[in-house]
Amino acid sequence: MDKNLEMAALAVLIHDLRKHKKVTLNELAERIGRSVGFLSQVERGLSRPTVEDLTAIAEALDVPTTYFYSLPKPKELDWVTRPDERRTLYLAGGITDIMASPTLQGAFMVVDSLLEPGASSGERQMSDRSEQAGYVLEGQLTLWLGEDEQSATLYPGDVFQVPSYARLRYANQGYTPARVLWIYT
């Protein structure tokens, strides 16, 4: 799928999940601290959510953030993914997440995350029900963890692991793109 089709598919997924959960646009906006107008634009594919927004939407609608990676693409083998078979989320804030795992049915999933210089998950910390780990492949990634926002800047070869529901935010504060192999349980 191309970028516009991927964005449209995410918009439909968010809209349909909200409707299925019988949550109004106004209720969801209130739960995640965003405007109704913004959410309406996201559901129509006119605006892209940030990682922080997507995580908040998932929490408010009681699904894991990985739910939004669930639109399958046709694959040659169901246990292998090739680069052209991967689902891509183009998020606001300069982040592109590519679903590398062949399936969401296992105990974990792998996401290839690309962060442009200055890209950020958002200004507020977020919490996800998944345990998370990451391996920095290129560039640099700064993480802020916990209530005291303990920070660490990671470089190629560095690895992090945070428990479920940990308060976290992250950014590429470098001058070159960053690439992180992200693992979610």
Side-chain angles (χ1 to χ4, degrees):
M1 268 195 254
D2 72 10
K3 185 175 184 175
N4 291 332
L5 289 175
E6 291 281 359
M7 289 172 52
L10 177 61
V12 168
L13 197 59
I14 292 170
H15 177 266
D16 289 352
L17 176 62
R18 179 181 61 77
K19 290 290 195 179
H20 174 74
K21 296 282 188 165
K22 296 178 175 40
V23 175
T24 68
L25 207 53
N26 196 40
E27 289 169 335
L28 183 56
E30 188 175 305
R31 289 180 192 177
I32 69 168
R34 297 288 280 184
S35 72
V36 172
F38 170 75
L39 275 178
S40 175
Q41 288 182 336
V42 166
E43 287 190 0
R44 290 181 288 140
L46 302 175
S47 289
R48 292 183 285 171
T50 63
V51 172
E52 178 184 349
D53 294 328
L54 203 58
T55 302
I57 290 168
E59 185 177 318
L61 297 176
D62 195 33
V63 296
T65 305
T66 56
Y67 173 86
F68 298 109
Y69 294 89
S70 66
L71 284 179
K73 293 178 114 174
K75 293 187 292 253
E76 180 183 335
L77 300 167
D78 61 0
W79 51 279
V80 173
T81 59
R82 311 259 186 228
D84 64 337
E85 298 170 341
R86 296 184 179 140
R87 170 114 169 84
T88 303
L89 292 179
Y90 299 94
L91 301 161
I95 298 175
T96 301
D97 282 347
I98 303 163
M99 170 64 167
S101 294
T103 179
L104 294 176
Q105 306 309 313
F108 66 90
M109 68 174 264
V110 179
V111 173
D112 187 359
S113 192
L114 310 172
L115 295 88
E116 294 299 322
S120 166
S121 62
E123 294 178 18
R124 296 177 293 177
Q125 285 188 321
M126 58 196 157
S127 172
D128 193 276
R129 66 174 67 180
S130 299
E131 181 176 353
Q132 302 173 49
Y135 183 92
V136 179
L137 298 168
E138 299 171 10
Q140 71 178 49
L141 179 72
T142 301
L143 299 164
W144 293 270
L145 181 66
E147 297 296 323
D148 60 351
E149 291 210 340
Q150 181 180 19
S151 68
T153 299
L154 296 98
Y155 299 93
D158 289 343
V159 176
F160 66 89
Q161 183 173 357
V162 297
S164 303
Y165 298 103
R167 305 293 302 163
L168 173 73
R169 67 183 177 95
Y170 58 90
N172 175 3
Q173 295 183 315
Y175 298 104
T176 61
R179 185 169 170 219
V180 180
L181 199 59
W182 214 280
I183 295 99
Y184 295 87
T185 59

